[in-house]
Amino acid sequence: MPRLADHEERRRSITGATRRVIARGGLDAATFQSVAAEAGVSVRSVQYYFGSKREFLLATHRAVVEDSGTRLHRALAELGPAAGPRDIVRAVLVGLLPLDEPSRQNAIILGIFHAATLTGPHLEAADTASTPNYIVEAVAAQLRRLRGPDADEAVIRADAEVTLLAVAGLAQGMLTDTGMASRATELVDHLLHRVLPGVGQCSALQGGGEEPPGRPPGLSVP
Amino acid sequence: MPRLADHEERRRSITGATRRVIARGGLDAATFQSVAAEAGVSVRSVQYYFGSKREFLLATHRAVVEDSGTRLHRALAELGPAAGPRDIVRAVLVGLLPLDEPSRQNAIILGIFHAATLTGPHLEAADTASTPNYIVEAVAAQLRRLRGPDADEAVIRADAEVTLLAVAGLAQGMLTDTGMASRATELVDHLLHRVLPGVGQCSALQGGGEEPPGRPPGLSVP
């Protein structure tokens, strides 16, 4: 296969190995040696593809964020183009929860990276954004659809942010609290009920919750 | 001073030292040696008061949780006995945010402990509960006051949980995202606006938001 594809393939297999090592033993378990062993490559080649520990940690974090984005795309694609704003927001929120083993591993790694940025030395706050802005924007876009052109943009933004903060808290809480995990989608539906009162239900912020005709879900990963 | 008080005093100074060591360098920085040095006591006395690393980590986590509880009590005491449900819930939520240096240190330590429970070896999920139940109960109690005797208990519980999940997400997000930190109380007010629609505002879940006469805030640390 062509050189570049080969190169990308190698990098992916190394970040994949790093993810497994970190999910098992935490950030300190990830060394050139342990990652090389897990990936079945030489320490020299890990050093070739990633010059420093910081570099392969950042690449691993990026890989996890991209993987989560891909999962969201898949979930939205399954909804189809006629999906309403509420269905789309729900798919985004549920898609952010660690409900299967791969997404659970991603959530564990994001939790570990978050903690690592709090004390360093390998990572700083700027390295690991909280919820990527494109996700806040994807939720806000659906709230605009739902509330129409006259809706207050500041309110839409705040609704998207608090909703995603709750889901971020839930995603991490589920990892250690099985009771919470078992009620996760129920809690997401309650959150939706609060932030997007259904049609007919009254809200100070939207014109009765009427939906404009369906538009295809928009979620573009940067 | 009496022996027991002395004993407690020593334990407190050691867990205090552990907090500073962890906040600076993460969990792995906390060893019998580093903690003894930080506390200005002998390694032998750290070993006397806490038999294992796990034991002083758990004691430190407990100390942080108790400190947060004390801060909440103080915030509620400042409100006085005539405070309304909304004021009390707001005080609880704002009291959980890392808005000053001591509470920031607590939030950092809770974030680090959460991550540590995800991979071990020193801590397991059961060691670090997410939001202590007495806080969920404190918020739920105010929702009951606000909504009256006929309110649906399951809805009250779900409201308290999603609200505290959002605040948990916010508290951790603030540590790495200064933009979010600057809007923290604004986001809490928006959350309150969603979960406790104000008097006069319509809601499917409460009779116009009328408040029964003030009762002293109830928040009992277990």
Side-chain angles (χ1 to χ4, degrees), chain A:
Chain A
M1 81 184 114
R3 188 76 191 81
L4 181 61
D6 183 30
H7 184 82
E8 269 318 302
E9 172 81 24
R10 280 279 176 86
R11 285 180 61 94
R12 247 200 312 285
S13 85
I14 293 171
T15 54
T18 310
R19 283 160 70 168
R20 295 191 296 277
V21 169
I22 292 173
R24 276 201 309 266
L27 217 58
D28 297 316
T31 62
F32 282 115
Q33 291 71 18
S34 64
V35 167
E38 176 76 22
V41 300
S42 68
V43 169
R44 188 176 289 280
S45 91
V46 176
Q47 288 166 328
Y48 168 78
Y49 286 101
F50 304 94
S52 65
K53 174 166 184 173
R54 171 175 162 79
E55 217 192 302
F56 74 68
L57 290 179
L58 290 180
T60 301
H61 183 261
R62 201 157 46 243
V64 167
V65 170
E66 282 168 7
D67 184 46
S68 307
T70 308
R71 296 168 150 277
L72 281 185
H73 273 289
R74 208 178 303 130
L76 292 173
E78 280 165 12
L79 283 181
R86 189 192 193 81
D87 302 331
I88 294 171
V89 173
R90 187 179 192 280
V92 170
L93 302 185
V94 172
L96 291 169
L97 299 178
L99 292 168
D100 59 18
E101 200 40 48
S103 60
R104 184 177 159 79
Q105 194 187 67
N106 286 347
I108 288 173
I109 289 171
L110 292 177
I112 289 170
F113 270 85
H114 168 73
T117 62
L118 299 178
T119 54
H122 299 297
L123 300 165
E124 300 124 44
D127 296 329
T128 63
S130 35
T131 306
N133 192 60
Y134 79 89
I135 296 178
V136 179
E137 193 31 56
V139 171
Q142 300 309 315
L143 295 178
R144 282 184 209 106
R145 273 179 74 187
L146 198 56
R147 296 173 186 174
D150 305 335
D152 182 334
E153 184 59 28
V155 171
I156 284 175
R157 192 82 193 169
D159 277 329
E161 286 185 294
V162 295
T163 301
L164 288 163
L165 284 171
V167 169
L170 178 56
Q172 288 302 309
M174 288 168 67
L175 297 176
T176 56
D177 181 340
T178 54
M180 187 184 289
S182 66
R183 286 176 295 106
T185 53
E186 193 183 308
L187 288 168
V188 165
D189 286 326
H190 187 76
L191 187 62
L192 282 171
H193 170 68
R194 282 295 180 226
V195 180
L196 319 175
V199 179
Q201 229 176 302
C202 132
S203 155
L205 296 160
Q206 81 191 60
E210 251 169 66
E211 297 185 13
R215 217 194 306 145
L219 178 72
S220 60
V221 187

